[in-house]
Amino acid sequence: MNKERKLIIAGNWKMNKTVAEALDLVRGLKIELANVKEVDMVVCPPFTALSEVSRAILDSNLRLGAQNMSEHNVGAFTGEIAAVMLKEFSVRYVILGHSERRQYQKESDALISRRAQAAHAAALKPIVCVGETLAEREANQTEKVLQTQVRGSLAGLSKDQMVETIIAYEPVWAIGTGKTATTLQAQEAHAFIRGLLAQMCDETIARRVRIQYGGSVKPSNARELMSQPDVDGALVGGASLESRSFADIIKNSI
């Protein structure tokens, strides 16, 4: 696929996989994806598996991501993980503001912005998640919600930092439900986000930022989604927990 932006497909394992299971999964992925060079491929295990997975993929084309991080570098923040701790395991990417954290941990756009800035300060690439609920889409609020989340969550980033940020558009109603936005819905949302980036920065920056789609991505719909002009990859949940399905998503996207 000839795109000006390199596809990036990341697997968000969420709260799944023991260390042993994680190692089984990445061993399978290393075999399945050994010859893929056209896509940036990222696995995001739970914190407990980062160390072992980091070692296991050292000699591969897979890259390591974390599922969250604190905006603080050190201190009395029980249960939090700092960027410097992630860097010890050669983590390169970090998911911020996933809809589950926005919903269950009440994370705000302002908090996500601070975390994105902290990630860049540590030379980590944030994957910043945005997306509307079903009620918001049915009320024709999609663009309003995206505008608020994109502007708020990326506030304070320089143009250089913006280029190194990945945005994941995840319609909340499509996450883990089996429902997928139509290719037209996905493309419209991605194009709208790119338009916002042009307003916030400029057209040149907007064209360079990669925007992933997330929400029930599977091998059967990957090719059609990735063929859209403004869809630059995927943030995959459930289908990333099995090596064959995640590998097939990647192979079908090329």
Side-chain angles (χ1 to χ4, degrees), residues 130-147 149 169-175 177 179-193 212-215 225 231:
V130 297
E132 80 284 5
T133 64
L134 183 59
E136 288 164 342
R137 175 165 278 274
E138 289 178 343
N140 294 315
Q141 298 290 302
T142 296
E143 291 188 354
K144 181 181 177 183
V145 170
L146 291 179
Q147 175 144 233
Q149 291 183 349
Y169 167 63
E170 294 197 307
V172 179
W173 47 272
I175 297 174
T177 61
K179 297 179 181 178
T180 311
T182 64
T183 50
L184 178 61
Q185 288 173 323
Q187 168 56 25
E188 284 177 344
H190 281 235
F192 178 75
I193 291 169
Q212 296 175 309
Y213 173 76
L225 284 165
V231 178

Side-chain angles (χ1 to χ4, degrees), residues 85-252:
M85 298 171 180
L86 298 179
K87 296 277 285 186
E88 281 193 303
F89 302 127
S90 302
V91 168
R92 300 195 189 188
Y93 298 87
V94 59
I95 300 170
L96 299 175
H98 191 280
S99 65
E100 290 156 1
R101 295 201 62 85
R102 288 178 183 266
Q103 178 182 352
Y104 303 130
Q105 277 74 36
K106 311 303 179 193
E107 292 185 356
S108 66
D109 294 327
L111 174 68
I112 296 157
S113 165
R114 292 195 296 276
R115 290 183 172 176
Q117 292 175 63
H120 281 297
L124 293 172
K125 294 184 179 184
I127 298 173
V128 177
C129 302
V130 297
E132 80 284 5
T133 64
L134 183 59
E136 288 164 342
R137 175 165 278 274
E138 289 178 343
N140 294 315
Q141 298 290 302
T142 296
E143 291 188 354
K144 181 181 177 183
V145 170
L146 291 179
Q147 175 144 233
T148 299
Q149 291 183 349
V150 170
R151 288 186 177 277
S153 300
L154 303 179
L157 297 185
S158 69
K159 288 184 177 182
D160 287 345
Q161 290 172 334
M162 200 74 88
V163 170
E164 295 299 318
T165 299
I166 297 96
I167 298 171
Y169 167 63
E170 294 197 307
V172 179
W173 47 272
I175 297 174
T177 61
K179 297 179 181 178
T180 311
T182 64
T183 50
L184 178 61
Q185 288 173 323
Q187 168 56 25
E188 284 177 344
H190 281 235
F192 178 75
I193 291 169
R194 205 172 300 286
L196 287 176
L197 296 174
Q199 294 171 21
M200 294 165 66
C201 299
D202 57 51
E203 291 280 356
T204 303
I205 299 296
R207 279 199 304 272
R208 293 174 63 191
V209 175
R210 294 186 288 183
I211 308 173
Q212 296 175 309
Y213 173 76
S216 299
V217 178
K218 42 192 179 286
S220 58
N221 60 26
R223 177 168 282 116
E224 191 176 1
L225 284 165
M226 299 311 130
S227 70
Q228 301 305 302
D230 288 295
V231 178
D232 307 314
L235 183 57
V236 184
S240 71
L241 297 176
E242 196 271 317
S243 61
R244 177 58 60 84
S245 61
F246 189 56
D248 284 349
I249 287 172
I250 291 168
K251 291 173 181 176
N252 290 351

